[in-house]
Amino acid sequence: MQKTRLKEMINSIDYAAAGNQMYQLVSDLYPICRSITGNGVRKTLNKIKPIIPLEVNEVPTGTKVFDWNVPQEWNIQDAWVKNSKGEKIIDFKKSNLHVLNYSAPIRKKVTLNELKGHLYTLPDHPDWIPYRTSYYQKNWGFCISHNQFAELKDESYDVFMDSSLEDGALTFGEFHLKGASSDEVLISTHICHPSLCNDNLSGMVLSVFLGKYLSQVTLKYSYRFLFIPGTIGSITWLSLNEKKASRIKHGLVVACVGDSGNFTYKKTRQGNAEIDKVVGHALQNSQKGFDIIDFFPYGYDERQYCSPGFDLPVGCLMRTPHNEYPEYHTSADNLEFVNPENLSTSLALYLDVFNILEENKKYMNQNPMCEPQLGRRGLYQHIGGHADSKKIQLALLWTLNLSDGRHTLLDISERSGLDFSLILEAADILVEKDLLKEHQIQN
Amino acid sequence: MQKTRLKEMINSIDYAAAGNQMYQLVSDLYPICRSITGNGVRKTLNKIKPIIPLEVNEVPTGTKVFDWNVPQEWNIQDAWVKNSKGEKIIDFKKSNLHVLNYSAPIRKKVTLNELKGHLYTLPDHPDWIPYRTSYYQKNWGFCISHNQFAELKDESYDVFMDSSLEDGALTFGEFHLKGASSDEVLISTHICHPSLCNDNLSGMVLSVFLGKYLSQVTLKYSYRFLFIPGTIGSITWLSLNEKKASRIKHGLVVACVGDSGNFTYKKTRQGNAEIDKVVGHALQNSQKGFDIIDFFPYGYDERQYCSPGFDLPVGCLMRTPHNEYPEYHTSADNLEFVNPENLSTSLALYLDVFNILEENKKYMNQNPMCEPQLGRRGLYQHIGGHADSKKIQLALLWTLNLSDGRHTLLDISERSGLDFSLILEAADILVEKDLLKEHQIQN
Amino acid sequence: MQKTRLKEMINSIDYAAAGNQMYQLVSDLYPICRSITGNGVRKTLNKIKPIIPLEVNEVPTGTKVFDWNVPQEWNIQDAWVKNSKGEKIIDFKKSNLHVLNYSAPIRKKVTLNELKGHLYTLPDHPDWIPYRTSYYQKNWGFCISHNQFAELKDESYDVFMDSSLEDGALTFGEFHLKGASSDEVLISTHICHPSLCNDNLSGMVLSVFLGKYLSQVTLKYSYRFLFIPGTIGSITWLSLNEKKASRIKHGLVVACVGDSGNFTYKKTRQGNAEIDKVVGHALQNSQKGFDIIDFFPYGYDERQYCSPGFDLPVGCLMRTPHNEYPEYHTSADNLEFVNPENLSTSLALYLDVFNILEENKKYMNQNPMCEPQLGRRGLYQHIGGHADSKKIQLALLWTLNLSDGRHTLLDISERSGLDFSLILEAADILVEKDLLKEHQIQN
């Protein structure tokens, strides 16, 4: 059976239902305590496997990856602080954010003063628990609300951190979807955060559903999905796949796509890559407010993909950027902060981007000397059944005029001011009538 | 006898008189019923011949011209509709717009209902007769005012269309004016419209007078004037002259130049061709309001010249663009809609454009190391008789400084902010003093 | 002893003291009557020699320099006009501006009428004496206030001009400061004006102090200082040093830098030379109002350096441009019109420009594949003692990301929006840590 084109599929999706399914998966993954290594990541990837057949890779602790080494594996069973009466006043079981992520194991009686040196709070948001990590500096600690902190009594405390830091592996998921070409589109998402919904369960879940939908259509490009811990994950993948990396022709880092803010696109380091133009066009087309910002060398994994030795055309398409919403990296980035509608709008935008990428070809006008006679082919004045016959006619003329091997359909859309979908429809009609032929470029 | 330069001639023209002569020719040609083929075109070209010695070409019906075929020749002697009392209620003799242009012959009794299926009106302008054609779909019809249409009685009508559609020829006029170079400037104007003054008797007549004036001066470029039916005419010429077309280095389609609107320049497909810069400069210089718009692949014959297989640098210089004035393609585009003043201002602008084109050369400063000593050549402080000695002195310095083989006089004018005419005067002075020499480029 | 870098020295200068010293030198040179040739120039250069060891060159009258000839040497001992009572009413000893600069000798009785033909005044500023010259047209004359002119009585006058115009030499000063590279920075200043403080004692004195300070540091570039008469001086130097001129990679003409106006930078003819970017950045950084204007082929000696045969990247960095302040070329351009503060701010800006030029190198990231691990090198979060640790961290990331051999430090500063000094500090740290290495370009 002939698979459909993406352009057909995106119109047939029930986006409301897809939003609900994505939100359900966010909810399922929310309680798991993830970190850059360890069983939390494995559990997470195993929950994704039934939806897309991803490969789970394990890279041993100590593996040299460029300037870095794969760190030890961190696992945690339990953690608490008890007061002098033996009451658990901080309990990992209630929220995995209570633990300073990557804390070393400890069991110790401490004074209030010593305890305070290991507590992290948010004075500006006294009800919220912060999310803090200590990956590359051995430490232990707890994160609590500032209100609770203020009420701590000057007594003795019993601290218990039942964690382990041992040689093991860094775990990541990879899903490769083969298209007609070996040229790849990279979709990269970080999976190292514990119970935080927008950053980045939203990105993980959207990536999963992109994988699911793209699997159902005929593709020009191959798509590579990476579910990796931030920074060390992309460094590890790039180090182990240095040659494969050159196949990546376009890429997006997926993060923070469940909140209610406007879309924000952070451009590639190159700044004028095809993905930059495509996302820009899709955002224009979305008829909602959006921001496009220049590349800067911090943020998510795009900083690794865009390091000067790789300089891959990878941007980052999010809603409100990290650090620009107060709930960022706190317990308030919870199941109420994201919702099905936001997830489904993000899905639609991403699919629109990939549709443009898939269809953004160059064509050659087969009658380049003067216009062909459209009338005798039934393409003049009345195009069968088209709601807006004037616009499709302009689209036909523009597509013929600019199909000289130098302009992609997106270029034609931008120059004519007509929607990409209309130009694509015109190109499809003209190919059907033998007036246009795809321009094959020798690489 | 040495012919003068265009720059001298344009200052010696009596523009008011020229405007009146052009308007007189518009009036003479107004009554003729033209179409894309036939005797109307022949009559028209014969009236032009005494002014410029154009060649009249006939291309047989059926000749294959790229994707098209030269159509049959259409001629018409008479046409009318009579009511049941035998009164002529529509009469071709009163206005040739009454006939659907290219109507097939017919003689028939029809009901009101059947007649209405062949009548065209303008409900928004109930006094005006529309201009309609049916070139590539065999049909017959009449165009009348909506007022008249509203009063038609339910009776029987006698329809008579004494036209013929037979194998013959497509007729067009061509005038080639030889200059020093075989590089050509194309001036193309469509001649297929019947009694419509602005679109395009104005363009035809302006082209005729441009030919007349340019014949009187020494020219750098050769000029090719085409008087052709729209679309099929330019396709025919390009098809028969594919190789010659490559000589065209600059070109303008002349249309709608007699109304009172601002000038509008539609750029070439290339968008930054020399003709685009030259027209832009001439418009800036005109100190009147104007619009410059980007190329789009519909409009007049520029759509053929700018088809991707040719991509000639041909723009379109008009006043109010087609379709943007209510009188467009109606009986209101009449002898009152155009006037001598508008025609003469258009003439002046076109001549200014050609003057810049003719003189827009590159020069080499013959003393490129530091400034030459202008004082001992009498070029410093007091330039004999010049009204604005400060400005001409700046023009001399700019022209010397930028005459490095990379800048045309127009480039120098744009960069210095000084009038092209002043820079041209400076260049003439510096050539005279052996400080500048034309830069000969090997093509 | 290892000399310091300019970046260190510029922070250790006592700018207030330097301003006073510069103003003192302006005061010392103010009374001398300079012209394009003669003893006034020699006396001036001799007063500079104790501060910087400049070479004084003499080019004989009549030497052919491109299209020009070195003119005769002009010297003047005394000049006056006496009225019929024998009273000196105009006296060169009171102000050397009273003499039309380059006046031929004369001793003559004249009528008021004849005298008036040789007097120059400023009706708009009736108290001021204008500065006028007659270099290339033999003449004599006096410049006086318009008030005095208005009161002259109709009597006989005794005119005495004890000047000489004889074969001799054109005198100019040259100071070459050797740096690591033979690539040169040109600093050119005109020395031909008599008692005018801003134009151009300010420029001369600033150039002297730039020479003094730059002598004290290690330099990448060699610096060539020219103290020359306007126009004929730069033409002479370029004519005698045609080959050396190609070593000039950056240059500034120094003029009008003592008044209280905003800085104005006139760009090089090339318009996007490195010096243009560097000065633009230094001005942005100065956090004061400024203007950047395009090159035009008149003004100071940049018009010779930027003639098409040389086209050197030489701009002009001044405060209020010539001719845009009423005191320009009048007796009001005196010791009150300039002040130590303005001179010292100009010094600081020029040194900032040269510091950026000196340090504006390209580097290669030595770990270009992904980011290096900054944490284990102590470069993450807490950079020792840095006031603004967040900004320096961004500077480190930006510098690493863009050090690909294509971006200079200035490019990185502009793209990141971070101060050049911060980027420079980051580069110094990264070089120290072996993460960055200077990119050596083969010329």
Side-chain angles (χ1 to χ4, degrees):
Chain A
M1 194 191 81
Q2 172 79 30
K3 274 186 174 180
T4 54
R5 272 158 83 182
L6 182 51
K7 80 163 206 169
E8 289 146 19
M9 198 250 266
I10 57 177
N11 292 320
S12 70
I13 292 176
D14 178 343
Y15 285 97
N20 288 329
Q21 290 161 24
M22 288 190 281
Y23 186 79
Q24 185 56 53
L25 184 56
V26 167
S27 309
D28 291 350
L29 298 173
Y30 182 59
I32 302 171
C33 180
R34 281 163 294 270
S35 182
I36 53 173
T37 55
N39 292 326
V41 170
R42 288 189 191 96
K43 240 182 266 179
T44 299
L45 296 176
N46 280 332
K47 289 217 179 230
I48 293 172
K49 264 187 164 173
I51 313 177
I52 53 171
L54 52 74
E55 201 177 277
V56 177
N57 298 285
E58 303 273 351
V59 184
T61 298
T63 305
K64 171 102 181 136
V65 287
F66 293 128
D67 192 52
W68 303 61
N69 291 292
V70 171
Q72 288 194 310
E73 188 174 323
W74 182 70
N75 285 297
I76 183 162
Q77 283 72 43
D78 199 3
W80 42 252
V81 175
K82 289 183 182 167
N83 63 12
S84 56
K85 291 183 197 152
E87 297 162 342
K88 276 191 195 170
I89 59 156
I90 308 175
D91 186 356
F92 170 71
K93 299 258 157 85
K94 289 195 179 155
S95 167
N96 56 44
L97 295 184
H98 277 317
V99 163
L100 176 72
N101 201 288
Y102 224 69
S103 270
I106 196 152
R107 176 73 195 249
K108 198 180 183 186
K109 293 263 180 198
V110 295
T111 62
L112 174 62
N113 208 36
E114 189 178 353
L115 179 64
K116 280 189 169 177
H118 291 267
L119 292 180
Y120 302 87
T121 71
L122 286 168
D124 288 351
H125 296 282
D127 288 336
W128 298 352
I129 308 163
Y131 161 61
R132 292 286 180 273
T133 69
S134 185
Y135 294 141
Y136 298 98
Q137 198 160 6
K138 213 168 186 170
N139 199 359
W140 65 267
F142 288 87
C143 303
I144 57 171
S145 76
H146 199 69
N147 285 340
Q148 185 180 8
F149 179 87
E151 285 167 16
L152 288 178
K153 286 179 191 142
D154 191 0
E155 53 186 325
S156 152
Y157 292 90
D158 186 6
V159 167
F160 178 54
M161 181 76 66
D162 184 11
S163 65
S164 62
L165 267 172
E166 287 163 3
D167 283 1
L170 178 150
T171 309
F172 71 91
E174 189 165 7
F175 174 47
H176 185 259
L177 197 48
K178 219 174 135 34
S181 161
S182 60
D183 287 350
E184 289 185 5
V185 179
L186 175 72
I187 295 160
S188 176
T189 194
H190 62 278
I191 57 166
C192 47
H193 290 182
S195 298
L196 298 170
C197 283
N198 199 41
D199 181 15
N200 192 27
L201 287 170
S202 71
M204 289 164 59
V205 165
L206 178 56
S207 300
V208 169
F209 275 71
L210 288 171
K212 179 186 143 185
Y213 284 114
L214 291 174
S215 301
Q216 298 168 21
V217 295
T218 304
L219 294 167
K220 177 173 80 171
Y221 289 109
S222 296
Y223 287 73
R224 185 173 300 277
F225 294 78
L226 295 180
F227 298 84
I228 48 174
T231 303
I232 188 65
S234 50
I235 292 171
T236 298
W237 188 88
L238 285 166
S239 179
L240 302 178
N241 298 280
E242 208 175 317
K243 273 187 192 155
K244 268 189 202 163
S246 67
R247 291 188 202 153
I248 297 170
K249 303 304 180 201
H250 321 280
L252 289 174
V253 167
V254 190
C256 303
V257 290
D259 66 284
S260 302
N262 280 345
F263 284 109
T264 302
Y265 178 61
K266 176 184 174 182
K267 292 202 276 184
T268 69
R269 180 180 186 265
Q270 299 175 15
N272 61 350
E274 189 175 347
I275 187 71
D276 296 319
K277 291 182 212 162
V278 167
V279 175
H281 190 86
L283 286 169
Q284 283 286 359
N285 225 33
S286 71
Q287 293 176 317
K288 285 166 199 140
F290 62 87
D291 275 311
I292 295 181
I293 57 181
D294 283 328
F295 174 79
F296 47 85
Y298 38 98
Y300 294 116
D301 288 302
E302 67 277 6
R303 53 200 272 189
Q304 309 308 329
Y305 302 122
C306 295
S307 58
F310 287 105
D311 197 19
L312 296 173
V314 176
C316 178
L317 179 51
M318 48 203 157
R319 284 169 172 274
T320 311
H322 44 90
N323 228 346
E324 295 187 11
Y325 50 99
E327 296 84 356
Y328 174 76
H329 279 196
T330 75
S331 55
D333 180 3
N334 56 23
L335 286 165
E336 280 161 39
F337 188 63
V338 304
N339 70 39
E341 289 70 27
N342 297 338
L343 290 166
S344 88
T345 320
S346 296
L347 174 68
L349 176 66
Y350 265 85
L351 287 174
D352 196 23
V353 166
F354 295 134
N355 179 45
I356 299 175
L357 260 187
E358 286 284 318
E359 301 286 1
N360 190 27
K361 300 169 188 168
K362 287 179 182 172
Y363 290 89
M364 288 301 291
N365 180 335
Q366 300 299 297
N367 283 271
M369 315 301 268
C370 300
E371 292 170 7
Q373 197 175 2
L374 297 180
R376 65 172 156 90
R377 293 175 177 88
L379 300 179
Y380 197 66
Q381 293 298 0
H382 31 80
I383 303 295
H386 207 282
D388 198 341
S389 71
K390 190 116 191 195
K391 276 198 166 178
I392 183 68
Q393 203 165 306
L394 297 187
L396 289 167
L397 291 172
W398 273 110
T399 305
L400 283 167
N401 189 275
L402 293 180
S403 286
D404 54 4
R406 289 186 294 124
H407 299 87
T408 66
L409 294 190
L410 184 56
D411 294 332
I412 299 173
S413 164
E414 299 267 342
R415 183 153 169 192
S416 67
L418 299 170
D419 282 0
F420 181 83
S421 59
L422 199 68
I423 295 294
L424 176 55
E425 186 177 345
D428 283 346
I429 291 171
L430 292 167
V431 167
E432 171 73 26
K433 297 281 184 185
D434 292 325
L435 289 173
L436 224 58
K437 213 170 151 177
E438 196 182 336
H439 184 50
Q440 301 294 347
I441 306 147
Q442 308 301 328
N443 280 318
Chain B
M1 195 192 78
Q2 173 79 29
K3 273 185 174 180
T4 54
R5 272 157 83 182
L6 183 50
K7 80 163 205 168
E8 289 145 19
M9 198 251 265
I10 58 178
N11 292 321
S12 70
I13 291 174
D14 178 343
Y15 285 97
N20 287 329
Q21 290 160 22
M22 287 190 283
Y23 187 78
Q24 185 56 51
L25 184 56
V26 168
S27 310
D28 291 352
L29 299 172
Y30 183 60
I32 301 171
C33 180
R34 279 164 294 270
S35 182
I36 52 171
T37 55
N39 291 327
V41 170
R42 289 190 191 96
K43 241 184 265 178
T44 299
L45 296 176
N46 281 332
K47 289 216 181 230
I48 292 172
K49 264 189 163 172
I51 313 176
I52 53 169
L54 54 74
E55 202 176 276
V56 176
N57 298 284
E58 303 274 349
V59 184
T61 297
T63 304
K64 170 103 180 140
V65 287
F66 294 128
D67 192 53
W68 304 60
N69 291 291
V70 170
Q72 288 195 310
E73 187 173 323
W74 182 69
N75 285 296
I76 182 163
Q77 282 72 44
D78 199 3
W80 43 252
V81 174
K82 288 185 185 169
N83 62 13
S84 56
K85 292 184 198 153
E87 296 162 341
K88 277 190 194 170
I89 60 157
I90 308 174
D91 186 356
F92 169 71
K93 298 257 158 85
K94 288 195 180 155
S95 167
N96 55 46
L97 297 183
H98 277 316
V99 163
L100 176 72
N101 201 289
Y102 224 68
S103 270
I106 196 155
R107 177 74 197 247
K108 198 179 181 185
K109 292 263 180 195
V110 294
T111 63
L112 174 61
N113 209 35
E114 187 179 355
L115 180 62
K116 279 186 170 178
H118 292 266
L119 291 181
Y120 302 87
T121 70
L122 288 169
D124 288 349
H125 296 280
D127 288 336
W128 299 351
I129 307 164
Y131 161 61
R132 293 286 180 276
T133 69
S134 186
Y135 294 141
Y136 298 99
Q137 197 161 7
K138 212 167 185 174
N139 198 357
W140 65 266
F142 288 87
C143 304
I144 59 170
S145 75
H146 199 69
N147 286 339
Q148 185 180 8
F149 179 86
E151 285 168 15
L152 288 178
K153 286 178 193 145
D154 191 0
E155 54 185 324
S156 152
Y157 293 91
D158 187 6
V159 167
F160 179 53
M161 181 76 66
D162 185 11
S163 66
S164 61
L165 269 172
E166 288 163 3
D167 284 359
L170 177 150
T171 310
F172 70 92
E174 189 165 8
F175 174 47
H176 185 259
L177 197 49
K178 219 176 136 32
S181 162
S182 61
D183 286 351
E184 288 185 6
V185 178
L186 175 71
I187 295 160
S188 175
T189 196
H190 61 278
I191 56 166
C192 46
H193 290 181
S195 298
L196 297 169
C197 283
N198 198 41
D199 180 16
N200 192 29
L201 286 170
S202 71
M204 289 165 59
V205 165
L206 178 56
S207 300
V208 170
F209 274 71
L210 288 170
K212 178 186 144 185
Y213 285 114
L214 290 174
S215 301
Q216 297 167 22
V217 295
T218 305
L219 293 167
K220 177 172 80 171
Y221 289 109
S222 297
Y223 286 73
R224 184 172 302 275
F225 293 78
L226 295 181
F227 298 85
I228 50 175
T231 304
I232 188 64
S234 49
I235 292 172
T236 298
W237 190 86
L238 286 165
S239 179
L240 301 179
N241 297 278
E242 210 173 316
K243 274 187 191 154
K244 268 191 203 163
S246 66
R247 292 189 202 154
I248 296 170
K249 303 304 179 198
H250 321 280
L252 289 173
V253 167
V254 190
C256 303
V257 290
D259 67 283
S260 302
N262 281 344
F263 284 109
T264 301
Y265 178 61
K266 176 184 175 182
K267 292 202 277 185
T268 69
R269 180 180 185 265
Q270 300 175 14
N272 61 350
E274 188 174 349
I275 187 72
D276 297 320
K277 292 183 210 160
V278 167
V279 175
H281 190 86
L283 286 170
Q284 283 285 359
N285 224 35
S286 71
Q287 294 176 316
K288 284 166 200 139
F290 62 87
D291 276 311
I292 294 181
I293 57 181
D294 283 329
F295 174 78
F296 47 85
Y298 38 97
Y300 294 115
D301 288 302
E302 66 278 6
R303 55 200 273 189
Q304 308 309 329
Y305 302 123
C306 295
S307 59
F310 288 105
D311 197 18
L312 296 174
V314 176
C316 179
L317 179 51
M318 48 203 156
R319 284 168 171 274
T320 310
H322 44 91
N323 228 345
E324 295 187 11
Y325 50 99
E327 296 85 354
Y328 174 75
H329 279 196
T330 76
S331 56
D333 180 3
N334 58 21
L335 286 165
E336 279 160 43
F337 188 62
V338 303
N339 70 38
E341 288 70 28
N342 297 339
L343 290 166
S344 88
T345 319
S346 297
L347 174 68
L349 177 66
Y350 265 86
L351 288 174
D352 196 24
V353 165
F354 295 135
N355 179 45
I356 299 175
L357 259 189
E358 286 283 318
E359 301 285 0
N360 191 28
K361 300 168 188 170
K362 288 180 183 171
Y363 290 89
M364 288 301 291
N365 180 335
Q366 300 299 297
N367 283 270
M369 315 300 268
C370 300
E371 291 170 8
Q373 196 175 4
L374 297 180
R376 67 172 155 90
R377 292 175 177 89
L379 299 180
Y380 197 65
Q381 294 296 0
H382 31 78
I383 303 295
H386 207 282
D388 198 340
S389 71
K390 191 116 191 193
K391 277 199 163 176
I392 183 68
Q393 204 164 304
L394 296 187
L396 290 167
L397 291 171
W398 273 110
T399 306
L400 283 167
N401 189 275
L402 293 179
S403 285
D404 55 5
R406 288 186 295 124
H407 299 87
T408 65
L409 293 190
L410 184 56
D411 294 333
I412 299 174
S413 163
E414 300 268 342
R415 183 153 170 192
S416 67
L418 298 170
D419 281 359
F420 181 84
S421 60
L422 199 69
I423 295 295
L424 176 55
E425 186 176 345
D428 284 346
I429 291 171
L430 292 167
V431 166
E432 170 75 26
K433 297 283 183 183
D434 291 325
L435 289 172
L436 224 58
K437 214 169 151 178
E438 195 181 337
H439 183 51
Q440 301 293 348
I441 307 148
Q442 307 302 328
N443 281 318
Chain C
M1 196 191 76
Q2 172 79 30
K3 274 185 174 181
T4 54
R5 271 158 83 182
L6 182 51
K7 79 163 206 169
E8 290 146 19
M9 198 251 265
I10 57 177
N11 291 322
S12 69
I13 292 176
D14 177 343
Y15 284 97
N20 287 328
Q21 289 161 24
M22 287 191 282
Y23 187 79
Q24 185 56 51
L25 184 57
V26 168
S27 308
D28 291 351
L29 298 173
Y30 183 58
I32 301 172
C33 180
R34 281 163 293 270
S35 181
I36 51 171
T37 56
N39 293 325
V41 170
R42 289 191 190 95
K43 240 182 266 179
T44 298
L45 296 177
N46 280 332
K47 288 217 180 230
I48 292 173
K49 264 187 164 174
I51 312 176
I52 53 170
L54 55 73
E55 203 177 276
V56 176
N57 297 285
E58 303 273 352
V59 183
T61 298
T63 304
K64 172 101 181 139
V65 287
F66 293 128
D67 193 53
W68 304 61
N69 291 291
V70 171
Q72 287 195 311
E73 187 174 322
W74 182 69
N75 285 296
I76 183 162
Q77 282 72 44
D78 198 4
W80 45 251
V81 174
K82 289 184 183 169
N83 65 12
S84 57
K85 291 182 197 155
E87 297 163 340
K88 278 191 194 170
I89 59 158
I90 308 175
D91 186 357
F92 170 72
K93 299 259 156 84
K94 289 195 178 155
S95 166
N96 56 44
L97 295 184
H98 277 317
V99 162
L100 176 73
N101 201 288
Y102 224 69
S103 269
I106 196 153
R107 176 76 196 246
K108 197 178 181 185
K109 294 263 182 197
V110 294
T111 63
L112 174 62
N113 208 38
E114 188 179 354
L115 180 63
K116 280 187 169 178
H118 291 266
L119 292 180
Y120 301 87
T121 71
L122 288 167
D124 287 350
H125 295 282
D127 288 335
W128 298 352
I129 307 164
Y131 161 61
R132 292 286 180 274
T133 68
S134 185
Y135 294 142
Y136 299 97
Q137 198 161 6
K138 214 168 185 173
N139 198 357
W140 64 267
F142 287 88
C143 303
I144 58 171
S145 75
H146 200 69
N147 286 339
Q148 185 181 8
F149 179 86
E151 285 167 15
L152 288 178
K153 286 178 190 141
D154 190 2
E155 54 185 324
S156 152
Y157 292 91
D158 187 5
V159 167
F160 179 53
M161 181 76 66
D162 185 11
S163 66
S164 62
L165 268 172
E166 288 164 2
D167 284 359
L170 177 150
T171 309
F172 71 90
E174 189 165 7
F175 174 47
H176 185 258
L177 197 50
K178 220 176 134 34
S181 160
S182 60
D183 286 351
E184 289 185 4
V185 179
L186 175 71
I187 294 159
S188 176
T189 195
H190 62 277
I191 56 165
C192 48
H193 290 182
S195 299
L196 298 169
C197 283
N198 199 41
D199 180 16
N200 190 27
L201 286 170
S202 72
M204 289 165 60
V205 164
L206 178 56
S207 299
V208 169
F209 275 70
L210 289 171
K212 180 184 142 183
Y213 285 114
L214 291 174
S215 300
Q216 297 168 22
V217 295
T218 304
L219 293 168
K220 177 173 80 170
Y221 289 110
S222 296
Y223 286 74
R224 184 173 301 276
F225 293 80
L226 295 181
F227 297 86
I228 49 174
T231 303
I232 188 65
S234 49
I235 293 171
T236 297
W237 189 86
L238 286 165
S239 180
L240 301 178
N241 297 279
E242 207 173 318
K243 273 185 193 157
K244 269 190 202 164
S246 68
R247 292 189 202 153
I248 296 170
K249 304 302 180 202
H250 320 281
L252 289 174
V253 166
V254 190
C256 302
V257 290
D259 67 284
S260 302
N262 281 344
F263 284 109
T264 301
Y265 177 61
K266 176 183 172 181
K267 292 202 277 185
T268 69
R269 180 180 185 266
Q270 299 174 15
N272 61 349
E274 188 174 349
I275 187 71
D276 296 319
K277 291 182 210 162
V278 167
V279 175
H281 190 86
L283 286 170
Q284 282 286 0
N285 224 35
S286 71
Q287 293 176 315
K288 284 166 201 142
F290 62 87
D291 275 312
I292 295 182
I293 56 180
D294 282 329
F295 174 78
F296 47 84
Y298 38 97
Y300 295 115
D301 288 303
E302 67 277 7
R303 55 200 273 189
Q304 309 308 328
Y305 302 122
C306 296
S307 58
F310 287 104
D311 196 19
L312 297 173
V314 176
C316 179
L317 179 50
M318 49 203 155
R319 285 169 170 274
T320 311
H322 44 91
N323 228 346
E324 294 187 11
Y325 50 98
E327 297 84 355
Y328 174 75
H329 279 195
T330 75
S331 56
D333 180 4
N334 57 22
L335 287 164
E336 281 161 40
F337 188 63
V338 303
N339 70 39
E341 288 70 27
N342 297 339
L343 290 166
S344 88
T345 319
S346 296
L347 174 68
L349 177 67
Y350 265 85
L351 288 174
D352 196 24
V353 165
F354 295 135
N355 179 45
I356 300 175
L357 259 188
E358 285 284 318
E359 302 285 1
N360 190 28
K361 300 168 188 168
K362 287 179 182 172
Y363 290 89
M364 287 302 291
N365 180 335
Q366 300 298 297
N367 283 271
M369 315 300 268
C370 300
E371 292 170 8
Q373 197 176 4
L374 297 181
R376 66 172 156 90
R377 293 175 176 91
L379 298 180
Y380 195 64
Q381 292 298 358
H382 31 80
I383 303 295
H386 206 282
D388 198 341
S389 71
K390 190 115 190 195
K391 276 198 165 176
I392 183 68
Q393 204 165 304
L394 296 187
L396 290 167
L397 291 172
W398 273 110
T399 305
L400 283 167
N401 189 274
L402 293 180
S403 285
D404 55 4
R406 287 186 295 124
H407 299 88
T408 66
L409 293 189
L410 184 56
D411 294 333
I412 299 173
S413 164
E414 300 267 341
R415 182 151 169 193
S416 67
L418 298 170
D419 281 359
F420 181 84
S421 59
L422 199 69
I423 296 294
L424 176 55
E425 186 177 344
D428 284 346
I429 291 170
L430 293 167
V431 166
E432 171 73 25
K433 298 281 183 184
D434 292 324
L435 289 172
L436 224 58
K437 214 170 150 177
E438 196 181 336
H439 183 50
Q440 301 294 349
I441 307 148
Q442 309 301 329
N443 281 319

